[in-house]
Amino acid sequence: MTMQNMERKRALWVWFRSLMLPKGQEKLLLLRANDDIETLYEMLCAKDSCIDLLREDVKQRILAKLHQTDIEKANETLHRHQIDVVLREEADFPFRMQQVIPAPELLYLRGNRDLLRYENNLGIVGSRKYNDYGKQQTQKIALQLATAGICIVSGLAKGIDAEAHRTALKVYPKGRTIAILAGGLDKVYPPEHKELFAEIVQKGLIISENPPGYQARSFSVPQRNRLIAAMSKALFVPQAAFKSGTKYTIDAALDLGIDIYALPGRIDDPLSALPNYLLQQGARMVLEAQDILESFVEISEKDFAEISNIKEEKTIPDVSLTKEEEKIVAALQKEALSIDEMIMKTNLPMPLLLISLTKLEQKNMIHKEETSNRFSL
Amino acid sequence: MLGKVHSCGLTGIRGRIVVIEADASNGLPSYDTVGLPDKAVTESRERIRIALRNCGLDLPPKRITVNLAPADFRKIGTVYDLPIALALLQATERLPLSAMEDCMAIGELSLNGDLRKIDGILPMAIAAKENGFKRLICPKDNASEASFVDGMEIIPAENLKTLYDMLLGERPLLFQEKKEWNFQRKEVTQDFSLIRGQFLARRAAEIAAAGGHNMLLNGPPGAGKTMIARALPGILPDLSFEEALEISCIYSAAGKLEVDGLVEERPFRAPHHNASLSALVGGGSFAKPGEISLAHLGVLFLDEMPEFSRSALESLRQPIEDGHTTISRVRSSERFPARFMLVAAMNPCPCGYYGSRKQVCTCTQRQIERYRSKLSGPLLDRIDLFIAVEELEYKDFYAQNTAKPEGSDIIRKRVNDCRAKQLERFSGTNIYANAQMSQGDIEKYCIMNQEAQKLLKSAFIEKNMSGRAHARILRLARTIADMDMADEIGELHLAEALQYRSAEALWN
């Protein structure tokens, strides 16, 4: 296929999608044209009989936008938002995306297009709500894998998703990340992630199957989740409630035959309900980052061994501790404690305990958990 | 003859002198009240006419005009009944003008001539004293309240007839005996010895009470937030006479003084969360003090803080900073004192169990964010102590090895000592506690030693503090140092103060 030919096809697809026809009506037209967009455009221009199959309002909408300038306009909108497009028949369309059902005709892109052909992708999906355990483990595992050259794929949602993206960006340029969105790429959803979005555009890739201006609705999120699965070689679920959108990603992953990994959690913790259930059903258990490497044969164990020691940098603890501080550290050894619980355990007077806590924080020995009132080592 | 009697009205919580002139001239019998009277004042004509007749002092059929001056000040209420009646007696030449010299009269009449209790006698008596009056005639039920104003002779009046006889000298003049005011703490129902566990919250409550700091209690339902807040009045510092007078003035003007005399303890106001903005801050077409003014020099407790309307909460910001609130209406603009200690309680999320170990939080992340966003940053910025209140375990109730918790008496003693140190420091200024220090005061009084400065510097950078957060830490550290009877803020005082901000992270 010539370059020019492809350009024309892209332009027509962009125009066709910008009409935002109902999915069923769109399918109807494509079937008549044997899925060829150029044929379809000619048929529409010739007012072929296929157009009479459509709903009256849809028909009018198409007929009003058949002009060449409409096509140019649709493509200009794309350029204005710096959105790129990849068609299914193009060489760099991700291989596994062709297998998902229904396969997208085209993908809208922002950022580094080269990442489309990257094979070593790990999907990390989870709930918006997480606790310190989920956050820390996601960060730790994602950091090691991203440094080893695995691209982190997720959905730019709050919670686990954002944590996974952020961790991968931390080790850029080694770290690669792809975000797959449900809505059009002209808007950032959730709006709180404006900065994260911009950073991924710069250092990673953002994908959507929907045209700019498309508003994500409740059903578009499960649809998006199937693309996350399709884009990944393996899927990792650190934390998610039993009933959550993550289930759709897992269903899609099972259909595609993708390996599923899960982080074990406390059985009474609702945020670990889904990963624990997955483990029971035969998902692979992740105790350390290496476990996930099973699915990524290209990344040799040796490469990984070098980076497996990487942890979040922490200053070497100051060894000189007062008697009270030692007491507190000893009490925290077993589990995270709140201030009142520490009082019960250490029998220190309140002012002294508080003072020691501040001192220990200064020495980087302990920290306060973000999602509870407890302190941990 | 022209009758002239002085009386007093209220603007906000301050008395304003009103001169009442009455004239009875020949002509067609009539009765007019001029000088911007409201309905209750105009209606006083019938009460006065009949009360006078029932006392055997019938009004003659003359052309009667009553003028209330200054004419641009709206006279409301029934306080002018008695002075108008006395002015009419002068106008009809049955009472000499000299009888009412240097004397102010206030009171509502009933039809048989008895005098009824009125609101706001205390600020009126203070205004009388400030304007050089020597005597005040007021209803008998108000007399003991008025008698707290030094250097005033209070004449308690029971009935118009007996008062008339006294003024004519036919009966001996009776004066109200001055009541002595002694600070008496009422039995507190909620004692700190009844509160089990909650070590952090106890210490925080003590610091808050000592320095007048604002406090936010955050915890799951049933953990004891409200219990701690209700126990707080028991450890507040003792009330001084000047403070009691200030509080009583507000309550008197609002008609909410429940005791005979002055208030005896610091107010504890706990408005329900459906309170409107004007109920909280004050308002009405003739401004009345709201909950924040009624909590002046005491505690304003907002239970379930995020349930309050946003506008009501935001309206607290300016009074917290200034210690007073100004209510502007078309006809008037009143200023009410509102120097209260804010104590708020809230759950960490709508269901209440976020971060709990015992129960599962069922809220979505968005619900939690929406709930917390009810409290704006600027409002949270004005709170000094963020305390996470924990659910109790069974062992907390029946712990064998721990001593019985300290009672309110012991804690109060320490609070009083600490407050005394502050009063000494701030003598001659208009503030009374560390929490009210301005930026200038902080620089003057919050002197840190070297180690403390070093600690503050590293904490400031690490915790990414705002300028206001920095000032708050220093105020808190000042109070902690005062409890330690230290003149300089040491490293340890600062280290403790830093911990009371740690729960704040839950909001970021």
Side-chain angles (χ1 to χ4, degrees):
Chain A
M1 210 184 296
T2 61
M3 273 303 271
Q4 246 181 346
N5 206 339
M6 192 59 90
E7 282 298 320
R8 175 68 178 160
K9 273 195 165 188
R10 269 194 215 164
L12 282 173
W13 265 113
V14 167
W15 161 78
F16 185 57
R17 272 288 153 83
S18 74
L19 297 175
M20 292 200 211
L21 307 179
K23 278 267 143 62
Q25 307 267 294
E26 200 174 76
K27 200 78 216 160
L28 212 61
L29 287 174
L30 284 169
L31 272 175
R32 277 301 176 101
N34 285 329
D35 280 352
D36 187 56
I37 191 75
E38 281 175 303
T39 322
L40 176 64
Y41 183 63
E42 277 159 26
M43 279 164 72
L44 290 173
C45 286
K47 312 235 166 17
D48 183 88
S49 62
C50 73
I51 206 161
D52 295 324
L53 296 168
L54 299 178
R55 244 164 49 197
E56 190 55 32
D57 62 317
V58 175
K59 185 174 153 187
Q60 292 308 324
R61 216 192 303 171
I62 298 176
L63 290 178
K65 290 249 168 116
L66 272 177
H67 201 265
Q68 182 62 30
T69 52
D70 292 316
I71 301 178
E72 281 160 20
K73 233 193 225 162
N75 281 280
E76 257 166 46
T77 315
L78 228 61
H79 289 307
R80 206 173 52 239
H81 290 113
Q82 295 166 320
I83 299 171
D84 202 359
V85 175
V86 61
L87 298 188
R88 192 154 64 180
E89 52 241 71
E90 281 184 78
D92 55 353
F93 190 84
F95 173 68
R96 265 191 307 270
M97 279 282 199
Q98 296 171 5
Q99 296 171 331
V100 72
I101 299 167
E105 307 289 347
L106 73 161
L107 294 174
Y108 295 84
L109 313 169
R110 279 189 78 173
N112 182 4
R113 191 179 166 124
D114 296 341
L115 279 177
L116 275 180
R117 293 304 276 173
Y118 199 74
E119 285 285 317
N120 292 321
N121 296 341
L122 171 71
I124 299 186
V125 290
S127 48
R128 273 169 284 190
K129 212 155 80 170
Y130 56 60
N131 58 26
D132 279 65
Y133 168 69
K135 186 182 170 185
Q136 276 165 16
Q137 296 308 320
T138 306
Q139 281 177 344
K140 196 177 113 197
I141 290 165
L143 186 77
Q144 295 188 7
L145 294 175
T147 318
I150 287 175
C151 176
I152 307 292
V153 180
S154 196
L156 200 77
K158 288 183 207 172
I160 298 285
D161 284 21
E163 231 33 77
H165 287 307
R166 284 205 182 97
T167 313
L169 289 172
K170 240 188 244 171
V171 286
Y172 178 81
K174 263 193 151 178
R176 304 167 172 89
T177 191
I178 298 175
I180 303 182
L181 267 56
L185 295 185
D186 55 332
K187 256 201 197 125
V188 183
Y189 184 86
E192 291 93 323
H193 286 166
K194 215 168 143 187
E195 280 157 30
L196 184 60
F197 185 96
E199 205 183 341
I200 298 179
V201 167
Q202 220 174 48
K203 301 175 177 173
L205 176 64
I206 299 189
I207 300 178
S208 170
E209 63 171 326
N210 288 317
Y214 183 86
Q215 279 269 337
R217 269 161 285 169
S218 54
F219 57 79
S220 5
V221 177
Q223 281 175 4
R224 181 278 308 267
N225 286 357
R226 94 184 190 281
L227 294 187
I228 294 181
M231 203 60 197
S232 313
K233 217 172 189 180
L235 197 68
F236 174 43
V237 186
Q239 266 192 336
F242 195 77
K243 264 173 138 183
S244 78
T246 309
K247 268 205 143 167
Y248 293 100
T249 322
I250 291 158
D251 288 346
L254 288 172
D255 288 345
L256 291 164
I258 288 170
D259 299 336
I260 294 172
Y261 293 85
L263 179 75
R266 285 166 49 143
I267 54 169
D268 60 351
D269 184 352
L271 289 175
S272 289
L274 188 61
N276 283 341
Y277 170 76
L278 291 172
L279 289 171
Q280 194 185 35
Q281 296 294 311
R284 300 190 197 176
M285 188 184 288
V286 176
L287 299 180
E288 51 184 351
Q290 272 97 330
D291 297 335
I292 296 179
L293 278 189
E294 248 178 78
S295 302
F296 296 91
V297 280
E298 282 121 86
I299 292 173
S300 75
E301 291 277 346
K302 199 180 128 271
D303 288 344
F304 192 76
E306 282 167 32
I307 52 92
S308 64
N309 295 324
I310 297 173
K311 278 182 195 139
E312 289 259 24
E313 78 282 4
K314 218 175 182 181
T315 46
I316 304 128
D318 195 331
V319 277
S320 67
L321 294 183
T322 64
K323 222 166 55 196
E324 293 84 22
E325 286 164 7
E326 268 171 15
K327 250 186 177 175
I328 294 169
V329 172
L332 288 175
Q333 217 58 265
K334 252 198 265 169
E335 55 174 343
L337 295 173
S338 70
I339 291 178
D340 280 2
E341 286 163 342
M342 276 186 255
I343 282 279
M344 298 285 278
K345 288 240 156 90
T346 61
N347 276 325
L348 292 172
M350 180 56 76
L352 201 54
L353 175 77
L354 296 177
I355 292 160
S356 309
L357 286 177
T358 305
K359 289 278 177 70
L360 283 169
E361 277 181 326
Q362 295 269 308
K363 289 174 186 166
N364 245 336
M365 293 280 294
I366 60 166
H367 68 273
K368 185 158 173 312
E369 293 192 344
E370 272 174 45
T371 53
S372 75
N373 306 317
R374 292 181 280 275
F375 286 81
S376 59
L377 287 179
Chain B
M1 192 168 65
L2 193 67
K4 187 176 175 188
V5 174
H6 288 89
S7 187
C8 195
L10 276 182
T11 65
I13 57 154
R14 298 181 67 83
R16 183 163 175 183
I17 305 298
V18 172
V19 182
I20 289 153
E21 296 163 323
D23 178 73
S25 51
N26 291 330
L28 277 177
S30 71
Y31 187 115
D32 281 306
T33 311
V34 298
L36 216 60
D38 84 336
K39 191 81 178 139
V41 178
T42 321
E43 280 172 352
S44 70
R45 177 177 71 181
E46 296 308 319
R47 282 194 298 274
I48 292 165
R49 191 203 299 279
I50 295 166
L52 282 173
R53 199 188 65 217
N54 284 336
C55 294
L57 299 160
D58 290 28
L59 276 181
K62 287 201 165 192
R63 188 181 173 82
I64 291 170
T65 310
V66 175
N67 179 34
L68 310 170
D72 62 338
F73 166 58
R74 192 161 187 92
K75 286 72 174 186
I76 51 176
T78 53
V79 294
Y80 307 107
D81 288 6
L82 176 66
I84 292 174
L86 293 173
L88 286 173
L89 289 173
Q90 287 179 335
T92 51
E93 295 178 17
R94 283 176 286 181
L95 187 69
L97 284 176
S98 60
M100 294 303 290
E101 236 169 75
D102 288 337
C103 184
M104 178 185 273
I106 295 161
E108 175 185 335
L109 282 174
S110 64
L111 295 187
N112 66 359
D114 285 348
L115 280 147
R116 288 212 175 105
K117 193 178 175 180
I118 52 108
D119 288 338
I121 191 75
L122 194 61
M124 291 176 187
I126 291 171
K129 190 192 166 191
E130 284 170 357
N131 284 282
F133 290 91
K134 298 212 169 62
R135 284 179 180 181
L136 173 69
I137 302 171
C138 67
K140 191 163 176 263
D141 294 339
N142 285 116
S144 68
E145 186 185 328
S147 71
F148 285 106
V149 180
D150 264 340
M152 287 291 289
E153 288 177 346
I154 308 294
I155 301 169
E158 209 169 346
N159 183 281
L160 184 59
K161 175 74 175 134
T162 52
L163 176 70
Y164 178 69
D165 290 346
M166 280 196 274
L167 289 173
L168 283 181
E170 288 171 11
R171 273 169 193 251
L173 261 178
L174 289 175
F175 293 107
Q176 175 75 21
E177 267 182 47
K178 194 172 155 49
K179 208 169 156 185
E180 278 305 309
W181 183 82
N182 283 318
F183 175 69
Q184 276 177 333
R185 195 174 288 270
K186 278 200 196 132
E187 274 291 300
V188 257
T189 43
Q190 201 70 267
D191 196 279
F192 265 92
S193 64
L194 298 175
I195 297 174
R196 298 273 165 184
Q198 309 300 5
F199 308 101
L200 180 65
R202 293 173 74 94
R203 171 77 181 164
E206 184 177 334
I207 294 171
H213 298 286
N214 298 328
M215 178 164 70
L216 177 59
L217 300 163
N218 183 1
K225 302 180 294 291
T226 312
M227 197 167 171
I228 292 163
R230 299 251 172 222
L232 206 56
I235 62 164
L236 290 177
D238 294 345
L239 199 57
S240 70
F241 178 72
E242 288 73 25
E243 285 175 322
L245 205 59
E246 248 182 81
I247 301 169
S248 301
C249 266
I250 300 169
Y251 275 73
S252 180
K256 292 200 156 103
L257 201 58
E258 278 156 14
V259 287
D260 184 27
L262 298 191
V263 292
E264 279 154 1
E265 51 185 11
R266 291 181 187 274
F268 180 88
R269 302 295 299 187
H272 186 255
H273 56 66
N274 65 9
S276 68
L277 194 147
S278 35
L280 217 52
V281 181
S285 55
F286 296 100
K288 284 257 176 192
E291 288 291 340
I292 61 167
S293 295
L294 295 175
H296 182 58
L297 300 177
V299 173
L300 179 71
F301 175 49
L302 302 183
D303 207 354
E304 309 296 348
M305 197 186 194
E307 303 294 340
F308 281 81
S309 79
R310 178 134 198 167
S311 60
L313 288 177
E314 294 307 304
S315 66
L316 297 178
R317 279 160 51 178
Q318 185 251 343
I320 290 177
E321 210 75 337
D322 300 345
H324 63 80
T325 176
T326 307
I327 295 161
S328 297
R329 292 290 181 266
V330 177
R331 291 202 188 88
S332 61
S333 171
E334 312 295 355
R335 189 171 138 154
F336 295 110
R339 200 168 256 177
F340 55 91
M341 175 180 152
L342 176 68
V343 178
M346 67 179 284
N347 297 134
C349 66
C351 84
Y353 293 102
Y354 183 79
S356 159
R357 262 184 199 170
K358 279 180 151 181
Q359 289 222 35
V360 175
C361 167
T362 54
C363 310
T364 64
Q365 192 66 30
R366 169 164 292 191
Q367 278 176 314
I368 296 171
E369 276 161 27
R370 200 182 304 137
Y371 183 73
R372 287 184 187 165
S373 69
K374 284 264 191 74
L375 309 184
S376 70
L379 184 64
L380 290 175
D381 235 8
R382 286 165 170 83
I383 289 170
D384 299 337
L385 296 122
F386 287 80
I387 303 304
V389 179
E390 303 244 348
E391 304 151 291
L392 292 179
E393 303 280 336
Y394 180 79
K395 62 176 192 285
D396 293 331
F397 289 99
Y398 298 102
Q400 295 294 319
N401 55 346
T402 49
K404 192 173 162 21
E406 269 182 324
S408 294
D409 302 353
I410 307 164
I411 302 174
R412 190 170 60 239
K413 211 171 262 167
R414 290 199 297 265
V415 169
N416 269 333
D417 291 347
C418 180
R419 186 58 72 88
K421 197 169 157 70
Q422 295 168 49
L423 286 175
E424 191 187 324
R425 174 184 307 133
F426 300 129
S427 67
T429 66
N430 61 347
I431 57 176
Y432 68 96
N434 287 335
Q436 267 113 33
M437 280 194 283
S438 67
Q439 193 59 43
D441 296 328
I442 289 174
E443 272 167 34
K444 201 162 145 199
Y445 300 118
C446 295
I447 298 158
M448 290 178 283
N449 66 20
Q450 287 224 315
E451 291 87 52
Q453 282 176 18
K454 226 173 88 194
L455 176 63
L456 184 63
K457 190 180 163 196
S458 69
F460 189 86
I461 294 163
E462 193 186 321
K463 299 205 168 169
N464 206 1
M465 269 187 228
S466 72
R468 210 198 298 253
H470 170 245
R472 236 171 3 198
I473 289 280
L474 284 177
R475 289 191 193 106
L476 206 55
R478 180 68 265 170
T479 304
I480 295 169
D482 285 341
M483 293 181 79
D484 220 9
M485 292 296 146
D487 289 325
E488 228 178 24
I489 296 175
E491 189 191 10
L492 304 182
H493 306 133
L494 197 67
E496 187 182 343
L498 284 168
Q499 282 304 323
Y500 295 115
R501 306 284 310 153
S502 59
E504 187 189 16
L506 280 178
W507 280 272
N508 295 331

